Amino acid sequence: MTIKGSVKMTALMLVFLVGVLTACSGSDIRSVDPADVEVGLKSDPSPAKASQPVTLTATFGGVEPAEWAKAVLEIRVDGSMKLVDAPKTPEGGYSAKFTFPKAGTYEIYVHLYQGDFHVTKLKKLEVS
């Protein structure tokens, strides 16, 4: 390979690397104060009914999660916790199905994970 070809190859690799790093970085979430992150939680159907499957959808404000960010719903049931993965939806929220065993007010901790960034917000849901 000639020196000219080697320079072209190096330049091409640099362009590729910059493209990969830019695509993976998303927004600079490290500069987000977790206190500024807002979480919305809705159920479908609403109101949620005991012993029937419910779709829970979490949305985030004050932060722009990357496509690869992960959300987990930590649902407190009778003193124990149930962890439910909530994949990202095409609409930008994070949804999961869950069946509440009985009527009452449930504490749901919504976790957002993106690299070293982790935020947890408590939401309450009334189930009839």
Side-chain angles (χ1 to χ4, degrees), residues 63-79:
V63 66
E64 183 65 37
E67 280 300 312
W68 50 270
K70 180 179 176 183
V72 174
L73 304 178
E74 177 185 324
I75 304 168
R76 300 293 172 100
V77 179
D78 295 328

Side-chain angles (χ1 to χ4, degrees), residues 64 105 107:
E64 183 65 37
T105 302
E107 291 183 344

Side-chain angles (χ1 to χ4, degrees), residues 55-118:
T55 299
L56 300 169
T57 302
T59 54
F60 296 94
V63 66
E64 183 65 37
E67 280 300 312
W68 50 270
K70 180 179 176 183
V72 174
L73 304 178
E74 177 185 324
I75 304 168
R76 300 293 172 100
V77 179
D78 295 328
S80 66
M81 69 176 161
K82 309 286 184 185
L83 298 176
V84 182
D85 286 332
K88 192 166 191 176
T89 67
E91 296 79 29
Y94 295 82
S95 289
K97 289 193 181 293
F98 190 78
T99 302
F100 294 92
K102 61 185 177 186
T105 302
Y106 287 84
E107 291 183 344
I108 302 173
Y109 292 87
V110 180
H111 298 265
L112 176 66
Y113 299 95
Q114 182 171 316
D116 292 340
F117 183 81
H118 173 215

Side-chain angles (χ1 to χ4, degrees), residues 3 7 18 20 57 60 85 90 104 106 113 120-122 125-126:
I3 293 178
V7 169
V18 168
V20 167
T57 302
F60 296 94
D85 286 332
Y106 287 84
Y113 299 95
T120 303
K121 299 289 180 167
L122 171 63
L125 183 72
E126 191 65 36

Side-chain angles (χ1 to χ4, degrees), residues 31-75:
S31 64
V32 173
D33 182 351
D36 294 337
V37 176
E38 299 170 4
V39 174
L41 182 68
K42 66 177 186 167
S43 68
D44 184 23
S46 180
K49 297 195 183 305
S51 301
Q52 295 181 6
V54 176
T55 299
L56 300 169
T57 302
T59 54
F60 296 94
V63 66
E64 183 65 37
E67 280 300 312
W68 50 270
K70 180 179 176 183
V72 174
L73 304 178
E74 177 185 324
I75 304 168

